[in-house]
Amino acid sequence: MSSRTARLLQLLEALRTRRHAVSGQTLAGEMRISLRTLYRDIATLRGQGAQIDGDPGVGYLLRPGFTLPPLMFSEDELEALILGARWVASHAADPELAQAAHGVMNRIGSVLPADLRLAVQTSGLFVPPCDDLHAIAPAPWLPALRRAIRDEHALRLDYRDEHGATTQRRIWPFAMAFFDRARLIAAWCELRQDFRHFRADRVVALVNTGEHYPERRHALIQRWRVQFNYPLQN
């Protein structure tokens, strides 16, 4: 990545973190560049589609919704994306998610400049296959569970516990953890009136009710983190 591209990326990040207009003098001071260079960079970003309100002497504010094109990623960021996508493709035990991971790598590669595209295609970062094949056997309910989490839908499921007993539950799924040997769903259980964790490989039957559960996912996650003393994310 050229120094100018890196500087434009830094400027976008500086604007993205502001909720109110920030003066050009402040931005130039933070980035250690001249005001003239800052004004030129603002004009460049506007030309690339960034909706930046403001003028010299007034201040600048980036409107929400602008997405960085992949070619703006740094080498470290690209390597992180590649490594993460390769892990998902080989370890998620979710064929739909694995296909999506391959699609991400193909899409990123298709829009990168030639030198970065070659770096992606020949990256030396690999994810070895899991030694325990049983640990990554496809779990048929994972796509349905992910969609329910994304859509904030309540689920009815038949669930088999560790002793083989099956119970019927209605849950509000809000998170999923991908461990080496299990995929764990975090949910509010209407039967227990509390948070519960369910292994995807113990789900016997599942029906998406199509009904939104009464709380928002982010609120459930926050309550769950507090109850289980997990660090709250910013």
Side-chain angles (χ1 to χ4, degrees), residues 1-2 5 69-79 82 105 108-123:
M1 178 183 291
S2 69
T5 299
L71 59 86
M72 293 288 286
F73 291 144
S74 69
E75 287 90 342
D76 285 344
E77 290 168 339
L78 281 171
E79 288 185 345
I82 294 166
M105 289 189 287
I108 289 175
S110 69
V111 297
L112 287 173
D115 57 338
L116 287 179
R117 183 167 60 250
L118 179 62
V120 167
Q121 293 171 345
T122 60
S123 169

Side-chain angles (χ1 to χ4, degrees), residues 30-31 37 53 64 69 92 98 117 121 129 147 216 231:
E30 289 180 358
M31 300 184 61
T37 298
D53 294 333
R117 183 167 60 250
Q121 293 171 345
R147 283 190 288 271
R216 296 305 306 272

